Amino acid sequence: MSKRLRSSEVCADCSGPDPSWASVNRGTFICDECCSVHRSLGRHISQVRHLKHTPWPPTLLQMVETLYNNGANSIWEHSLLDPTSIMSGRRKANPQDKVHPNKAEFIRAKYQMLAFVHRLPCRDDDSVTAKDLSKQLHSSVRTGNLETCLRLLSLGAQANFFHPEKGNTPLHVASKAGQILQAELLAVYGADPGTQDSSGKTPVDYARQGGHHELAERLVEIQYELTDRLAFYLCGRKPDHKNGQHFIIPQMADSSLDLSELAKAAKKKLQSLSNHLFEELAMDVYDEVDRRETDAVWLATQNHSTLVTETTVVPFLPVNPEYSSTRNQGRQKLARFNAHEFATLVIDILSDAKRRQQGSPLSSSKDNVELILKTISNQHSVESQDNDQPDYDSVASDEDTDPEATASKAHRQKSLDSDLSDGPVTVQEFLEVKNALVASEAKIQQLMKASRLEKQNSTPESDYDNTPNDRDLDDMGSSRKGRQRSSVWQSDSSGPDTAEPHVAPSPILPSTEDVIRKTEQITKNIQELLRAAQENKHDSYIPCSERIHVAVTEMAALFPKKPKSDMVRTSRLLASSAYRLQSECKKTLGDPGPPTDIQLVTQQVIQCAYDIAKAAKQLVTITTKENNN
């Protein structure tokens, strides 16, 4: 059997050139199109990272490269390498195949169904087989043969297997042998660096005793991966584990807004969760952070002509059939949280993780995670959505019915067991870090995620209670020379925008294709603005906002003067957000004053851009729905 299929780097699934993504747990490199399918499968099936635009721990990337270069893909395509598979009509996808259904069906068969993996001879006792495989894994990790261990894991070997005779786990063995890449692979499959062997020692202890300092430090990072990732998502900083700092608890820049009774009640419910339920919630939020960050990189790296197509959208966490329906619905509702609400939840989780590791228990409660997800955000933005809209479907995309969560995070939450943390980050530090985030490509891309939103999910009116009314918008518009009036969605620029309540909504809508084209133009202009923020080119804000306003106005011109009622809310949001964006950008003309001023302006500019992109995508959804009726 030919194991090495690496004449040059090609997509593992369709053999397309220059793959730009990696499936970490599969040890493969994949192209953009195939990655869009991987993302819809969920992280339980495939954990994707961009090779250039996602931060990588060096040894994790080295692990994936080693697997790729040593034929890991042959594990997942074993039976396809058999010449008889051609006779049976089975073949892998090729670059010319359509994503749907061709590539998607092949990828699901390959990774979800494991249709081409080498099968072991059937045995009556599956547990004996798993135990045998795990013992082989336990022995193999002392060597550098990664693909052998991946093959064993693919067949059912357990990364956390505790060897009854040896009294330790595969990660203990790999750490003692200094096999850092094996440790990375085991961790991806859920190995816990905090597990003690029969002598009470952890893999970290063995790595330090053996003088494998890089491995020891990396194992500590893996142990704290969940809380580190959440902190970095908010403030762009990670704890200094070498010096005993294991937690960073950011503070909201507008922390005074978080003192509502509702927020206090939500925090109290969070604190009353059992450790098990708290870990589940933390893992779900980790998965949502990964979804949002991957969306950002995805958006920034894709051809804009495909941005609004349904096949590239992963609007919320895919369903994991191993979870209860309540937990799956709670996971999906995380996508509804706006930036402030989600940040509040993340900070509360980090704070409670720190409290729990310091051994300050509270009485447990049977309150489920769903209740916390409903309570943590304000009643308008979550509870009214529950009233106005049905829950998410039982599948997360048009082709998705697959598990999503990664088991490794359950074990990595053991980071709560360790000591020491620093104090809260000050508001000034938070703002400084936020400014650094604006200069960071990855974080800017994260904020661009909003240009593709839930394909089935309209934002309720109450999400935008602060949207100015028509009179306010007119006042805003009158201060701008040569600009169209704010209510561009209710009147053309040649006449007054007085209301005509007796005029029935026009049934004539633009074609979906036209709306998509205008949405793409708005998206491109938003990207230009965010790149200006990334490069600290504050003098570019105003011209960028002008172009966004023009694009919004052009999109408005597609729609009838009296849109249907379900468009009014979204169209007003789009128009008002464009004007608010211009207003914020104008603040850069004067003396910026202290550094925090320009940082705050930038944050507001980004939020306005988010709202514009969000509303534009919603109009695509509404138009598509109306035109299909």
Side-chain angles (χ1 to χ4, degrees):
M1 180 180 67
S2 172
K3 287 178 59 178
R4 301 177 186 270
L5 309 172
R6 52 171 174 145
S7 55
S8 62
E9 289 189 356
V10 297
C11 174
D13 297 334
C14 73
S15 302
D18 302 319
S20 53
W21 295 82
S23 175
V24 178
N25 57 324
R26 304 298 182 174
T28 58
F29 293 160
I30 53 179
C31 69
D32 285 357
E33 289 192 343
C34 292
C35 178
S36 70
V37 181
H38 279 249
R39 293 190 58 220
S40 72
L41 298 178
R43 298 186 73 251
H44 177 77
I45 303 295
S46 182
Q47 302 170 23
V48 299
R49 281 176 176 255
H50 196 278
L51 291 170
K52 295 181 180 178
H53 295 280
T54 302
W56 282 84
T59 49
L60 181 62
L61 179 58
Q62 186 181 349
M63 183 270 289
V64 177
E65 289 175 336
T66 301
L67 284 171
Y68 175 86
N69 290 330
N70 285 278
N73 197 41
S74 65
I75 294 172
W76 315 113
E77 296 183 357
H78 175 84
S79 63
L80 292 182
L81 299 173
D82 185 341
T84 60
S85 67
I86 300 176
M87 301 298 294
S88 67
R90 293 187 302 178
R91 68 168 184 87
K92 71 181 294 175
N94 63 57
Q96 291 74 38
D97 284 337
K98 292 182 178 180
V99 177
H100 299 282
N102 306 71
K103 290 183 179 180
E105 289 180 355
F106 172 74
I107 290 168
R108 285 197 296 272
K110 179 177 175 180
Y111 298 110
Q112 176 191 341
M113 308 305 297
L114 300 179
F116 314 122
V117 171
H118 176 62
R119 300 292 180 182
L120 294 175
C122 292
R123 294 177 59 165
D124 294 334
D125 188 350
D126 289 339
S127 63
V128 174
T129 301
K131 185 175 181 180
D132 291 343
L133 289 167
S134 298
K135 285 187 174 181
Q136 291 181 48
L137 177 68
H138 189 278
S139 175
S140 298
V141 293
R142 71 181 72 252
T143 73
N145 197 331
L146 287 179
E147 61 271 24
T148 296
C149 293
L150 180 61
R151 191 179 302 276
L152 291 168
L153 289 164
S154 75
L155 293 171
Q158 298 300 303
N160 271 312
F161 173 72
F162 193 89
H163 199 295
E165 290 84 26
K166 307 290 186 182
N168 58 12
T169 69
L171 191 55
H172 286 94
V173 176
S175 299
K176 190 173 183 179
Q179 293 288 349
I180 191 167
L181 300 188
Q182 293 282 23
E184 290 281 6
L185 177 61
L186 290 169
V188 165
Y189 276 81
D192 179 9
T195 298
Q196 295 182 349
D197 66 1
S198 56
S199 302
K201 293 181 178 179
T202 68
V204 178
D205 294 329
Y206 282 106
R208 286 174 177 158
Q209 288 177 8
H212 310 301
H213 300 299
E214 181 187 8
L215 172 56
E217 291 172 5
R218 177 62 184 139
L219 287 172
V220 172
E221 290 178 358
I222 291 170
Q223 189 173 0
Y224 285 94
E225 180 185 349
L226 190 152
T227 48
D228 283 5
R229 178 85 177 267
L230 298 189
F232 189 81
Y233 172 76
L234 288 186
C235 68
R237 292 176 54 200
K238 289 186 178 180
D240 184 0
H241 297 294
K242 290 182 183 179
N243 292 316
Q245 178 200 45
H246 297 314
F247 287 89
I248 289 179
I249 314 295
Q251 289 180 338
M252 297 293 286
D254 52 353
S255 56
S256 61
L257 300 178
D258 303 324
L259 301 179
S260 68
E261 291 305 314
L262 198 63
K264 291 177 182 177
K267 185 175 295 188
K268 187 172 293 186
K269 281 182 168 52
L270 182 73
Q271 292 173 342
S272 68
L273 285 177
S274 67
N275 285 337
H276 173 69
L277 285 177
F278 177 76
E279 286 187 14
E280 285 188 351
L281 176 59
M283 289 186 287
D284 293 345
V285 169
Y286 177 100
D287 287 346
E288 175 64 12
V289 165
D290 182 83
R291 186 193 70 82
R292 294 186 181 208
E293 291 189 328
T294 305
D295 274 356
V297 176
W298 177 263
L299 174 62
T301 56
Q302 297 311 296
N303 182 322
H304 284 274
S305 65
T306 65
L307 279 181
V308 292
T309 62
E310 301 299 344
T311 55
T312 64
V313 171
V314 182
F316 46 82
L317 291 175
V319 168
N320 183 349
E322 296 180 5
Y323 293 163
S324 67
S325 60
T326 297
R327 184 175 179 187
N328 272 315
Q329 289 178 3
R331 285 165 59 83
Q332 294 179 342
K333 287 179 189 296
L334 289 171
R336 292 178 174 178
F337 283 31
N338 65 31
H340 183 276
E341 294 161 352
F342 191 62
T344 301
L345 176 58
V346 170
I347 290 171
D348 285 348
I349 286 175
L350 287 169
S351 300
D352 210 50
K354 177 182 175 182
R355 178 190 66 79
R356 289 170 189 255
Q357 68 90 47
Q358 290 177 336
S360 175
L362 292 174
S363 58
S364 62
S365 168
K366 294 184 179 180
D367 292 328
N368 59 40
V369 174
E370 167 75 3
L371 182 58
I372 289 186
L373 295 179
K374 283 187 176 181
T375 311
I376 190 70
S377 59
N378 64 63
Q379 285 178 306
H380 288 308
S381 60
V382 173
E383 293 182 356
S384 70
Q385 292 188 26
D386 294 336
N387 296 331
D388 295 344
Q389 301 173 6
D391 283 333
Y392 285 84
D393 291 344
S394 60
V395 293
S397 73
D398 56 347
E399 76 259 13
D400 167 39
T401 56
D402 304 314
E404 197 283 346
T406 169
S408 63
K409 300 304 167 294
H411 303 295
R412 293 177 192 180
Q413 188 59 23
K414 292 288 187 178
S415 62
L416 304 180
D417 297 334
S418 299
D419 297 324
L420 301 175
S421 65
D422 67 344
V425 179
T426 66
V427 172
Q428 179 64 29
E429 285 178 313
F430 182 84
L431 291 175
E432 289 173 356
V433 170
K434 277 295 185 184
N435 191 42
L437 255 61
V438 169
S440 161
E441 181 178 6
K443 291 302 174 183
I444 289 298
Q445 292 163 353
Q446 173 202 333
L447 290 159
M448 290 192 278
K449 68 184 179 296
S451 62
R452 33 95 7 258
L453 283 189
E454 298 90 346
K455 60 188 174 186
Q456 69 188 85
N457 206 38
S458 301
T459 303
E461 180 175 6
S462 51
D463 263 356
Y464 300 98
D465 286 345
N466 61 344
T467 301
N469 59 34
D470 291 344
R471 184 161 47 81
D472 294 335
L473 293 177
D474 291 344
D475 292 338
M476 293 168 65
S478 65
S479 65
R480 292 171 176 79
K481 299 181 195 176
R483 300 284 172 264
Q484 286 85 354
R485 295 176 66 83
S486 58
S487 48
V488 292
W489 292 86
Q490 298 178 9
S491 170
D492 59 29
S493 58
S494 62
D497 54 356
T498 54
E500 298 178 61
H502 62 281
V503 178
S506 169
I508 302 175
L509 291 176
S511 69
T512 302
E513 292 73 18
D514 287 342
V515 176
I516 287 175
R517 264 199 305 274
K518 294 301 181 184
T519 300
E520 289 172 354
Q521 187 58 50
I522 292 172
T523 301
K524 289 179 181 179
N525 291 329
I526 288 175
Q527 264 205 313
E528 183 183 5
L529 173 64
L530 294 176
R531 288 198 184 97
Q534 173 188 352
E535 298 167 6
N536 291 320
K537 294 180 179 178
H538 305 126
D539 56 347
S540 297
Y541 285 9
I542 291 179
C544 286
S545 69
E546 305 270 345
R547 285 189 283 275
I548 291 171
H549 180 270
V550 170
V552 167
T553 304
E554 290 177 351
M555 187 169 182
L558 295 175
F559 287 81
K561 288 201 289 186
K562 296 294 176 183
K564 289 192 174 183
S565 58
D566 59 353
M567 290 186 177
V568 173
R569 193 168 58 235
T570 304
S571 59
R572 286 181 179 174
L573 170 64
L574 186 59
S576 65
S577 298
Y579 276 100
R580 285 191 292 116
L581 176 63
Q582 287 188 310
S583 177
E584 292 296 334
C585 289
K586 282 184 66 177
K587 295 178 182 179
T588 61
L589 289 175
D591 181 6
T596 52
D597 285 357
I598 195 65
Q599 295 163 7
L600 290 170
V601 168
T602 297
Q603 289 178 10
Q604 291 303 312
V605 165
I606 290 172
Q607 183 60 52
C608 291
Y610 176 99
D611 291 340
I612 292 168
K614 190 173 187 178
K617 181 58 175 72
Q618 285 176 297
L619 284 172
V620 172
T621 304
I622 293 171
T623 305
T624 302
K625 180 180 178 181
E626 292 292 338
N627 286 334
N628 288 339
N629 285 341

